[in-house]
Amino acid sequence: MKPILPVLKENPRYVQFKISSKQTLSAKDAQAAVLSGCKKFLGELGVAKAGIQFMKYDTKSQSGVLKTNSKMLNETKAALALIKEVKGKKATVSAEKVSGILRKI
């Protein structure tokens, strides 16, 4: 069986996001809020096409990293911008930085 050519592989992008909220959120709450917000905007099929994965989250700085497909990067950033509340409280999520390598974020 031949390996997949590099041209045919999907290129991952890592999006660093920051949650601005008065309350501190645990990693579990942040993951649920971000993934449900993306699912609300993109739908089940869109989330599957984008390959969105929650990578890590820091509770002190309230920032984290998502993994997504390079072709769906703009849609993922738009889905993050449309999140207006987390756990019933007002909050905003903004995409801070995008990189092709996790180490650079």
Side-chain angles (χ1 to χ4, degrees), residues 52-94:
I52 295 175
Q53 292 179 351
F54 195 85
M55 299 299 286
K56 62 182 178 179
Y57 182 73
D58 183 30
T59 55
K60 287 185 179 181
S61 64
Q62 289 194 357
S63 63
V65 178
L66 278 179
K67 180 181 177 184
T68 186
N69 188 356
S70 63
K71 293 178 182 174
M72 297 287 285
L73 180 62
N74 291 332
E75 289 84 351
T76 304
K77 288 166 67 174
L80 289 176
L82 291 174
I83 297 173
K84 299 297 178 200
E85 64 179 30
V86 177
K87 287 184 68 177
K89 304 285 185 179
K90 283 189 174 182
T92 59
V93 181
S94 60

Side-chain angles (χ1 to χ4, degrees), residues 41-52:
F41 179 69
L42 297 173
E44 293 277 338
L45 184 63
V47 170
K49 282 183 181 177
I52 295 175

Side-chain angles (χ1 to χ4, degrees), residues 3-64:
I4 298 175
L5 296 173
V7 175
L8 300 175
K9 292 181 182 178
E10 294 180 355
N11 298 325
R13 292 291 180 257
Y14 299 96
V15 181
Q16 182 180 13
F17 64 91
K18 184 173 178 80
I19 299 176
S20 301
S21 175
K22 291 182 181 179
Q23 63 183 7
T24 58
L25 298 171
S26 67
K28 196 173 200 178
D29 294 336
Q31 179 178 2
V34 168
L35 292 180
S36 69
C38 289
K39 197 178 291 183
K40 190 183 290 185
F41 179 69
L42 297 173
E44 293 277 338
L45 184 63
V47 170
K49 282 183 181 177
I52 295 175
Q53 292 179 351
F54 195 85
M55 299 299 286
K56 62 182 178 179
Y57 182 73
D58 183 30
T59 55
K60 287 185 179 181
S61 64
Q62 289 194 357
S63 63

